[in-house]
Amino acid sequence: MNRCAEAAAVAASGPGAGVGNAGLRPRIVPRQASFFPPPVRNPFVQRTRLGAARRIQIFFLGIILLPIRALLLALILLLAWPFAAISTACCPEKLTHPITGWKRKINQPVLKFLGRAMFFSMGFIVTVKGKIASPVEAPIFVVAPHSTFFDGIACVVAGLPSIVSRHENVQVPLIGRILQALQPVLVSRVDPDSRKNTINEIIRRATSGGEWPQILVFPEGTCTNRSCLITFKPGAFIPGVPVQPILLRYPNKLDTVTWTWQGYTFIQLCVLTCCQPFTKVEVEFMPVQIPNDEEKSDPVLFASRVRNLMAEALRIPITDHTYEDCRLMISAGQLTLPMEAGLVEFTKISRKLKLDWDGIRKHLDEYAAIASSSKGGRIGIEEFAEYLKLPVSDVLRQLFALFDRNHDGSIDFREYVIGLAVLCNPANTEEIIQVAFKLFDVDEDGFITEEEFATILQASLGVPDLDVSGLFKEIAQGDSVSYEEFKSFALKHPEYAKIFTTYLDLQTCHVFSLPKEVRATPSVVSNKVSPESHEESTSDKKDD
């Protein structure tokens, strides 16, 4: 159905249609099936249940094992520190040249041995499969799934390659010096060019022909529960060099290692793991993956292929979730909603609709204010209208229906995020904002008064006695609104774009329904919807 027909359907229903009759709902605008969350388990939550017998076992084993293992761990770290200090003596925190010569030949084997001893002292039994590629064969290792801080065992097994780490970590006493001996690629939070510099450093090292140690990257960028592989970040694939995938498995009856956004804390997992007689881990080195010409120019394509291969070997599904979905999930939890409500594959949606994460995140904070005060975090059409400072009308019901994805007369966090994504683009483009401003600026003086604002909204919503004072004050800094003020408001509140475009559609349909001789007269020009010179533009006749 085209836009004209859609608008006609809205107009035909008339103001107040459907009030008091649950069966007369506004027509639902079709949505893409890919917007629906995938049928996979929440990858950012881990629920480990301990029975009474297991708790008793952990308690008595812990009395014996925990102090012994803690003592051994401390001893190994103290032994490793002087070798790391010698290895990095007189070296800057951000290395410009690789550590070579006697420092590397003597210290690296010792640190590898102590690394293995550290994990053995904590009860880890490691099984290694496959062959480790040389720095020339594969300058970069990509490890997945990333589910715990214990995944550092892959770094030890792979021969202590360099890792990507925050700059603050090398400042930590004892641990920082050992980390520095790994020659890490450091990321700085205070440097606005940190992401760019990090990628450049990875490219420089990966293309050095084996001068630098190999680089180990966890491309998922955050911890999951190993139930699936989430989207790989492209950083490790941007250099366009061969990579060796490394698979991690923890085939234990009791999972004491998974460290996700909802579950056991760092301390709890350390204690639980050290209280086990042993913890099995499998590290598998897959065949080296060499990018083709197309993948060299498109790192996302390369990352996707490698992820598919790793998921197939692990026999687990893939999803389009990313770290950004984690942040949405945490936001949902802060609204006392189920964490799963925030899992909407935001990155997948934003990629399709070219959305800005920061803009959506800011808007969700505003929504949180009303959702948190509602029972169960859900709101109905009345609260939604109050939020927009508009009366309940047929057009507003159509807008609400975009958010109400399960058609129960209320919207929750997930429905709002997806509905907002649908509205943000393409309805809220610069062109629509310009047209909407011209629509309100009846006297063409470059400013919108409250009277002009009320006139158009009354017509578009079908409410003749509409009071827009509250909404107008939200936009205006004075007695009138400039284009920049209007644009800023429209970008922050994309819900209103649907109201603007509905009015435009109704106007267009009115023109198309007139006889040809009447249609030739610029009847819509009085509202500046169509260009005044039809010879220069045909924007009013563009197809969807």
Side-chain angles (χ1 to χ4, degrees), residues 244-488:
Q244 183 171 33
I246 302 177
L247 305 178
L248 288 177
R249 300 181 181 92
Y250 292 87
N252 303 286
K253 289 184 179 180
L254 179 65
D255 185 359
T256 64
V257 300
T258 301
W259 187 45
T260 56
W261 292 83
Q262 184 177 349
Y264 285 119
T265 64
F266 174 85
I267 298 297
Q268 288 172 328
L269 286 179
C270 285
V271 171
L272 281 174
T273 301
C274 288
C275 289
Q276 300 303 307
F278 57 85
T279 302
K280 292 188 289 185
V281 56
E282 294 179 359
V283 182
E284 180 179 350
F285 292 85
M286 294 182 66
V288 173
Q289 299 301 313
I290 302 173
N292 56 37
D293 291 338
E294 186 179 5
E295 290 171 338
K296 286 180 180 179
S297 59
D298 187 353
V300 174
L301 186 65
F302 187 24
S304 178
R305 178 172 69 83
V306 172
R307 181 177 69 146
N308 289 339
L309 288 172
M310 297 177 77
E312 185 178 350
L314 291 163
R315 297 183 179 179
I316 58 176
I318 60 173
T319 78
D320 287 314
H321 288 111
T322 65
Y323 174 64
E324 283 69 26
D325 292 289
C326 254
R327 294 167 65 185
L328 274 179
M329 188 190 74
I330 298 302
S331 298
Q334 292 170 350
L335 298 180
T336 67
L337 295 170
M339 288 270 189
E340 288 79 359
L343 290 178
V344 296
E345 293 183 283
F346 179 83
T347 303
K348 181 177 181 179
I349 295 172
S350 62
R351 193 184 304 127
K352 285 179 177 292
L353 300 181
K354 301 178 182 178
L355 304 180
D356 172 54
W357 158 258
D358 292 326
I360 294 290
R361 185 65 182 81
K362 186 185 298 182
H363 203 74
L364 289 174
D365 288 338
E366 297 174 5
Y367 173 71
I370 58 171
S372 59
S373 62
S374 304
K375 186 177 180 180
R378 301 185 68 87
I379 62 171
I381 182 69
E382 291 79 12
E383 293 93 343
F384 187 68
E386 183 180 350
Y387 171 56
L388 295 181
K389 296 180 175 60
L390 293 171
V392 176
S393 66
D394 188 63
V395 174
L396 203 67
R397 285 191 185 86
Q398 186 191 33
L399 176 60
F400 186 81
L402 285 172
F403 297 115
D404 184 11
R405 293 169 56 78
N406 60 359
H407 319 316
D408 67 350
S410 64
I411 59 176
D412 67 7
F413 190 90
R414 175 165 50 196
E415 290 172 334
Y416 184 78
V417 172
I418 299 177
L420 187 62
V422 173
L423 286 176
C424 279
N425 196 296
N428 207 30
T429 60
E430 179 83 14
E431 180 183 356
I432 288 295
I433 294 173
Q434 289 176 350
V435 171
F437 184 82
K438 291 179 180 179
L439 181 74
F440 287 114
D441 185 16
V442 178
D443 59 6
E444 304 181 45
D445 64 349
F447 292 90
I448 300 171
T449 64
E450 184 174 337
E451 184 179 356
E452 292 171 332
F453 190 63
T455 301
I456 301 300
L457 272 186
Q458 285 169 1
S460 64
L461 291 171
V463 182
D465 300 322
L466 175 64
D467 181 8
V468 298
S469 299
L471 180 57
F472 186 78
K473 289 176 182 177
E474 287 282 320
I475 309 174
Q477 296 181 358
D479 296 332
S480 60
V481 178
S482 67
Y483 173 71
E484 289 303 320
E485 290 172 336
F486 185 82
K487 177 183 175 182
S488 175

Side-chain angles (χ1 to χ4, degrees), residues 185-228:
V185 177
L186 297 179
V187 180
S188 174
R189 287 181 171 180
V190 296
D191 182 6
D193 297 323
S194 178
R195 173 177 160 74
K196 176 183 174 182
N197 294 337
T198 300
I199 291 174
N200 288 338
E201 181 65 13
I202 291 175
I203 294 173
R204 183 172 75 93
R205 294 191 185 192
T207 56
S208 66
E211 277 186 46
W212 286 89
Q214 289 156 291
I215 300 172
L216 185 143
V217 178
F218 294 96
E220 291 176 292
T222 189
C223 288
T224 69
N225 56 21
R226 299 189 299 279
S227 63
C228 59

